[in-house]
């Protein structure tokens, strides 16, 4: 039996798991042969409704409204989704396979044989938002850095390397590296989805089910299905189907920063007078303005957008309800309005750094992220500077 095929007998049910590399020619034939020969009662597919719709309707990107994306606070999520999708697309480019071809092949084969199919993956936007929300500030920085680094990676991937991704030892190594570098991301992207996939595969109709999923999920899904069968795990995933609200500590910190800064400036006035207050305000404005503007410049933002970053950063840093990235992103989208060609080439442009800057939609996202990052760094730097000015007065 293939190392990427697991046949489980759970009570009176038979569940066959087919692990894939998502961009493997071999997997396409494997899933078609399995469905045709097995004639299962149901085929479970590792897709969610949004990804399924985008795969069946390639024109769906044309309906994108980047300003609405920013208003929904999904700027980072969209960029992450594009980078992850482009990484898979680049992997399959040399062998003529698009990401998810084996999933679509399984669906088409099921339809041709009159077999119902069900989508069993958690919505991608929920997964990405949970990964972002559960990460610390430094975890977010590491995640952002790893995504940007992947765009600079031009290494060609051979068909043999893609096939090796399905081997258990290769997967163990990759999962171990991910868990060590970004444990929270691994928990959300792998562990939670293993549980979600297993539960929804279990809840699929019929006594004989064939499930097509990424090879990295195979061990976790197999283990969780066995736990469900032994009544050691529940079949309710409602607790991982929502985005966790910000922690109380996070909200307190968000409001504490402006309160602390105001308190420090007030103390500077009391003990040092107008000159110290003036120095504090200049430090606050310059640190925030310069670093937010620098982030916008690195994003190749429009001059008007750079000006908005410079003026807006010192103010938005004192307001937890709105960030400078929201302002710069919207201004960039207005002054450099995306064209139809940007919509049409969105996924292809996400394959390279040059494409990131050429595509107006992606550039809006980069402006949003780098101006926000610059302002955040500026806030901490200015805070440290203000504390230093106060300590020079002999206040401890």
């Amino acid at each position: 039996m293939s190392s990427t095929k697991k046949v489980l007998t759970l009570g009176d049910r038979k569940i066959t798991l087919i692990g894939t590399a998502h961009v493997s020619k071999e997997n396409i034939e494997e899933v078609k042969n399995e469905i045709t020969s097995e004639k299962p009662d149901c085929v479970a597919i590792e897709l969610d409704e949004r990804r399924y719709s985008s795969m069946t309707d390639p024109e769906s990107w044309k309906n994108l409204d980047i300003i609405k994306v920013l208003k929904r606070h999904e700027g980072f999520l969209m960029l992450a989704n594009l980078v992850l999708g482009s990484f898979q697309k680049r992997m399959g480019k040399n062998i003529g396979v698009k990401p998810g071809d084996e999933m679509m092949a399984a669906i088409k084969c099921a339809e041709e044989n009159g077999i119902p199919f069900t989508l069993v993956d958690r919505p991608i936007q929920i997964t990405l938002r949970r990964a972002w929300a559960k990460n610390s500030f430094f975890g977010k920085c590491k995640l952002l850095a790893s995504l940007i680094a992947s765009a600079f990676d031009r290494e060609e991937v051979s068909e043999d390397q893609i096939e090796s991704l399905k081997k258990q030892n290769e997967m163990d190594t990759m999962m171990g590296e991910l868990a060590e570098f970004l444990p929270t991301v691994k928990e959300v992207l792998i562990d939670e989805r293993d549980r979600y996939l297993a539960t929804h595969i279990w809840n699929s109709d019929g006594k004989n089910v064939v499930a097509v999923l990424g090879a990295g999920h195979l061990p976790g899904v197999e283990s969780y299905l066995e736990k469900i069968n032994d009544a050691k795990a529940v079949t309710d995933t409602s607790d991982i189907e929502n985005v966790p609200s910000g922690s109380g500590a996070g909200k307190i910190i968000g409001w504490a920063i402006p309160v602390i800064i105001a308190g420090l400036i007030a103390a500077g006035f009391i003990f040092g007078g107008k000159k110290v207050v003036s120095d504090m305000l200049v430090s606050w404005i310059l640190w925030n303005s310069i670093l937010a503007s620098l982030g916008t410049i690195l994003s190749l933002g429009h001059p008007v957008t750079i000006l908005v970053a410079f003026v807006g950063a010192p103010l938005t840093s004192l307001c937890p309800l709105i960030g400078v990235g929201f302002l710069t992103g919207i201004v960039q989208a207005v002054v450099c309005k995306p064209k139809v060609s940007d919509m049409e080439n969105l996924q292809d442009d996400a394959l390279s750094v040059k494409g990131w800057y050429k595509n107006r939609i992606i550039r809006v996202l980069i402006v949003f992220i780098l101006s926000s990052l610059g302002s955040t760094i500026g806030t901490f730097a200015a805070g440290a500077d203000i504390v230093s000015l106060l300590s020079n007065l002999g206040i401890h």
Side-chain angles (χ1 to χ4, degrees), residues 8-196:
L8 309 179
T9 301
L10 305 172
D12 61 348
R13 302 185 73 188
K14 177 183 178 183
I15 298 179
T16 304
L17 306 177
I18 305 295
T20 77
H22 293 313
V23 286
S24 165
K25 282 183 179 180
E26 181 181 305
N27 283 150
I28 294 175
E29 295 305 316
E30 184 179 2
V31 297
K32 288 164 63 176
N33 292 337
E34 184 66 31
I35 293 170
T36 302
S37 61
E38 189 67 27
K39 293 290 192 301
D41 300 319
C42 180
V43 177
I45 308 292
E46 186 206 328
L47 285 177
D48 63 90
E49 289 290 346
R50 178 178 288 191
R51 282 185 292 159
Y52 175 65
S53 297
S54 67
M55 291 169 73
T56 54
D57 179 17
E59 305 295 308
S60 60
W61 286 105
K62 294 182 180 180
N63 300 320
L64 176 69
D65 186 332
I66 189 61
I67 293 180
K68 287 184 178 178
V69 169
L70 295 178
K71 288 181 177 179
R72 293 195 301 263
H73 306 288
E74 295 180 354
F76 171 80
L77 305 180
M78 181 179 172
L79 183 61
N81 200 12
L82 282 171
V83 172
L84 292 171
S86 67
F87 179 72
Q88 285 191 330
K89 189 171 184 177
R90 186 163 66 241
M91 287 179 64
K93 191 174 181 180
N94 291 337
I95 57 175
V97 178
K98 298 191 296 295
D101 272 358
E102 88 286 11
M103 301 293 177
M104 296 307 298
I107 291 172
K108 184 177 180 181
C109 185
E111 290 176 333
E112 290 173 348
N113 286 275
I115 301 169
F117 70 89
T118 182
L119 308 179
V120 294
D121 200 4
R122 183 171 60 183
I124 184 64
Q125 67 271 26
I126 297 295
T127 296
L128 292 176
R129 290 185 71 177
R130 283 182 65 83
W132 184 253
K134 289 171 72 83
N135 252 307
S136 65
F137 171 74
F138 293 106
K140 288 180 172 70
C141 291
K142 289 171 68 176
L143 178 57
L144 180 60
S146 64
L147 288 172
I148 293 175
S150 70
F152 284 87
D153 183 8
R154 311 310 318 154
E155 182 181 357
E156 298 290 340
V157 182
S158 67
E159 188 167 358
D160 288 341
Q161 288 174 309
I162 289 173
E163 293 303 323
S164 74
L165 292 178
K166 297 183 290 183
K167 296 179 181 178
Q168 189 64 46
N169 59 340
E170 295 284 348
M171 280 298 171
D172 289 343
T173 300
M174 290 176 64
M175 292 304 102
E177 291 175 352
L178 179 60
E180 183 177 344
F181 182 61
L182 291 168
T184 301
V185 173
K186 190 262 182 182
E187 175 191 346
V188 175
L189 292 185
I190 306 299
D191 300 340
E192 286 187 1
R193 285 178 62 221
D194 285 349
R195 175 186 161 197
Y196 190 97

Side-chain angles (χ1 to χ4, degrees), residues 332-360:
Q332 181 69 24
V334 171
V335 296
C336 294
K337 188 175 182 180
K339 302 176 181 178
V340 173
S341 60
D342 294 313
M343 305 284 189
E344 294 174 339
N345 299 322
L346 185 59
Q347 292 176 308
D348 289 333
D349 287 339
L351 289 169
S352 67
V353 176
K354 181 181 179 181
W356 282 28
Y357 285 100
K358 181 181 74 172
N359 191 292
R360 294 186 174 200

Side-chain angles (χ1 to χ4, degrees), residues 122 130 192 195-200 203 224 234-242:
R122 183 171 60 183
R130 283 182 65 83
E192 286 187 1
R195 175 186 161 197
Y196 190 97
L197 288 165
T199 301
H200 286 74
N203 292 335
Y224 203 84
V234 298
T235 56
D236 176 20
T237 57
S238 58
D239 59 311
I240 55 172
E241 292 179 15
N242 298 301

